[in-house]
PDB file of all heavy atoms in Angstrom:
ATOM      1  N   ASN V 669       2.714   9.772   0.650  1.00 90.00           N
ATOM      2  CA  ASN V 669       2.064   9.745   1.961  1.00 90.00           C
ATOM      3  C   ASN V 669       1.950   8.306   2.439  1.00 90.00           C
ATOM      4  O   ASN V 669       1.635   7.405   1.665  1.00 90.00           O
ATOM      5  CB  ASN V 669       0.674  10.382   1.878  1.00 90.00           C
ATOM      6  CG  ASN V 669       0.070  10.595   3.238  1.00 90.00           C
ATOM      7  OD1 ASN V 669      -0.476   9.674   3.823  1.00 90.00           O
ATOM      8  ND2 ASN V 669       0.159  11.808   3.739  1.00 90.00           N
ATOM      9  N   ALA V 670       2.169   8.092   3.746  1.00 91.00           N
ATOM     10  CA  ALA V 670       2.234   6.743   4.308  1.00 91.00           C
ATOM     11  C   ALA V 670       0.872   6.189   4.709  1.00 91.00           C
ATOM     12  O   ALA V 670       0.807   5.121   5.331  1.00 91.00           O
ATOM     13  CB  ALA V 670       3.162   6.738   5.515  1.00 91.00           C
ATOM     14  N   GLU V 671      -0.212   6.870   4.365  1.00 90.00           N
ATOM     15  CA  GLU V 671      -1.532   6.420   4.810  1.00 90.00           C
ATOM     16  C   GLU V 671      -1.885   5.046   4.262  1.00 90.00           C
ATOM     17  O   GLU V 671      -2.659   4.304   4.889  1.00 90.00           O
ATOM     18  CB  GLU V 671      -2.590   7.437   4.382  1.00 90.00           C
ATOM     19  CG  GLU V 671      -3.892   7.330   5.129  1.00 90.00           C
ATOM     20  CD  GLU V 671      -3.737   7.613   6.615  1.00 90.00           C
ATOM     21  OE1 GLU V 671      -2.912   8.467   6.978  1.00 90.00           O
ATOM     22  OE2 GLU V 671      -4.460   6.971   7.404  1.00 90.00           O
ATOM     23  N   ALA V 672      -1.326   4.682   3.106  1.00 90.00           N
ATOM     24  CA  ALA V 672      -1.633   3.366   2.544  1.00 90.00           C
ATOM     25  C   ALA V 672      -1.143   2.244   3.451  1.00 90.00           C
ATOM     26  O   ALA V 672      -1.755   1.176   3.509  1.00 90.00           O
ATOM     27  CB  ALA V 672      -0.998   3.230   1.156  1.00 90.00           C
ATOM     28  N   LEU V 673      -0.039   2.457   4.170  1.00 93.00           N
ATOM     29  CA  LEU V 673       0.454   1.456   5.107  1.00 93.00           C
ATOM     30  C   LEU V 673      -0.545   1.211   6.230  1.00 93.00           C
ATOM     31  O   LEU V 673      -0.818   0.067   6.606  1.00 93.00           O
ATOM     32  CB  LEU V 673       1.797   1.900   5.703  1.00 93.00           C
ATOM     33  CG  LEU V 673       3.030   1.796   4.814  1.00 93.00           C
ATOM     34  CD1 LEU V 673       4.228   2.418   5.521  1.00 93.00           C
ATOM     35  CD2 LEU V 673       3.327   0.351   4.454  1.00 93.00           C
ATOM     36  N   VAL V 674      -1.101   2.293   6.755  1.00 92.00           N
ATOM     37  CA  VAL V 674      -2.102   2.171   7.816  1.00 92.00           C
ATOM     38  C   VAL V 674      -3.339   1.457   7.284  1.00 92.00           C
ATOM     39  O   VAL V 674      -3.904   0.578   7.940  1.00 92.00           O
ATOM     40  CB  VAL V 674      -2.475   3.548   8.379  1.00 92.00           C
ATOM     41  CG1 VAL V 674      -3.469   3.420   9.518  1.00 92.00           C
ATOM     42  CG2 VAL V 674      -1.237   4.298   8.837  1.00 92.00           C
ATOM     43  N   SER V 675      -3.762   1.831   6.084  1.00 91.00           N
ATOM     44  CA  SER V 675      -4.938   1.205   5.481  1.00 91.00           C
ATOM     45  C   SER V 675      -4.732  -0.288   5.304  1.00 91.00           C
ATOM     46  O   SER V 675      -5.644  -1.090   5.571  1.00 91.00           O
ATOM     47  CB  SER V 675      -5.236   1.857   4.126  1.00 91.00           C
ATOM     48  OG  SER V 675      -5.551   3.218   4.276  1.00 91.00           O
ATOM     49  N   LEU V 676      -3.547  -0.672   4.857  1.00 94.00           N
ATOM     50  CA  LEU V 676      -3.261  -2.093   4.653  1.00 94.00           C
ATOM     51  C   LEU V 676      -3.338  -2.863   5.967  1.00 94.00           C
ATOM     52  O   LEU V 676      -3.920  -3.955   6.030  1.00 94.00           O
ATOM     53  CB  LEU V 676      -1.872  -2.262   4.031  1.00 94.00           C
ATOM     54  CG  LEU V 676      -1.436  -3.720   3.787  1.00 94.00           C
ATOM     55  CD1 LEU V 676      -2.334  -4.381   2.752  1.00 94.00           C
ATOM     56  CD2 LEU V 676       0.024  -3.774   3.336  1.00 94.00           C
ATOM     57  N   LEU V 677      -2.771  -2.309   7.032  1.00 95.00           N
ATOM     58  CA  LEU V 677      -2.784  -2.982   8.331  1.00 95.00           C
ATOM     59  C   LEU V 677      -4.202  -3.092   8.888  1.00 95.00           C
ATOM     60  O   LEU V 677      -4.574  -4.122   9.467  1.00 95.00           O
ATOM     61  CB  LEU V 677      -1.884  -2.239   9.316  1.00 95.00           C
ATOM     62  CG  LEU V 677      -0.387  -2.301   9.012  1.00 95.00           C
ATOM     63  CD1 LEU V 677       0.390  -1.361   9.925  1.00 95.00           C
ATOM     64  CD2 LEU V 677       0.135  -3.729   9.159  1.00 95.00           C
ATOM     65  N   VAL V 678      -5.011  -2.043   8.721  1.00 93.00           N
ATOM     66  CA  VAL V 678      -6.399  -2.084   9.199  1.00 93.00           C
ATOM     67  C   VAL V 678      -7.196  -3.130   8.431  1.00 93.00           C
ATOM     68  O   VAL V 678      -7.944  -3.932   9.011  1.00 93.00           O
ATOM     69  CB  VAL V 678      -7.057  -0.701   9.070  1.00 93.00           C
ATOM     70  CG1 VAL V 678      -8.560  -0.785   9.347  1.00 93.00           C
ATOM     71  CG2 VAL V 678      -6.413   0.282  10.037  1.00 93.00           C
ATOM     72  N   LEU V 679      -7.042  -3.149   7.117  1.00 93.00           N
ATOM     73  CA  LEU V 679      -7.747  -4.138   6.298  1.00 93.00           C
ATOM     74  C   LEU V 679      -7.272  -5.557   6.621  1.00 93.00           C
ATOM     75  O   LEU V 679      -8.078  -6.491   6.660  1.00 93.00           O
ATOM     76  CB  LEU V 679      -7.544  -3.835   4.816  1.00 93.00           C
ATOM     77  CG  LEU V 679      -8.313  -2.635   4.272  1.00 93.00           C
ATOM     78  CD1 LEU V 679      -7.821  -2.279   2.869  1.00 93.00           C
ATOM     79  CD2 LEU V 679      -9.814  -2.916   4.247  1.00 93.00           C
ATOM     80  N   ALA V 680      -5.978  -5.719   6.866  1.00 95.00           N
ATOM     81  CA  ALA V 680      -5.448  -7.035   7.223  1.00 95.00           C
ATOM     82  C   ALA V 680      -6.000  -7.500   8.568  1.00 95.00           C
ATOM     83  O   ALA V 680      -6.282  -8.687   8.764  1.00 95.00           O
ATOM     84  CB  ALA V 680      -3.923  -6.995   7.273  1.00 95.00           C
ATOM     85  N   SER V 681      -6.178  -6.553   9.489  1.00 94.00           N
ATOM     86  CA  SER V 681      -6.768  -6.896  10.784  1.00 94.00           C
ATOM     87  C   SER V 681      -8.222  -7.328  10.615  1.00 94.00           C
ATOM     88  O   SER V 681      -8.665  -8.326  11.207  1.00 94.00           O
ATOM     89  CB  SER V 681      -6.674  -5.694  11.730  1.00 94.00           C
ATOM     90  OG  SER V 681      -7.223  -6.004  12.989  1.00 94.00           O
TER      91      SER V 681
END
Side-chain angles (χ1 to χ4, degrees):
N669 190 279
E671 198 63 35
L673 285 174
V674 182
S675 297
L676 179 65
L677 292 171
V678 171
L679 286 169
S681 181

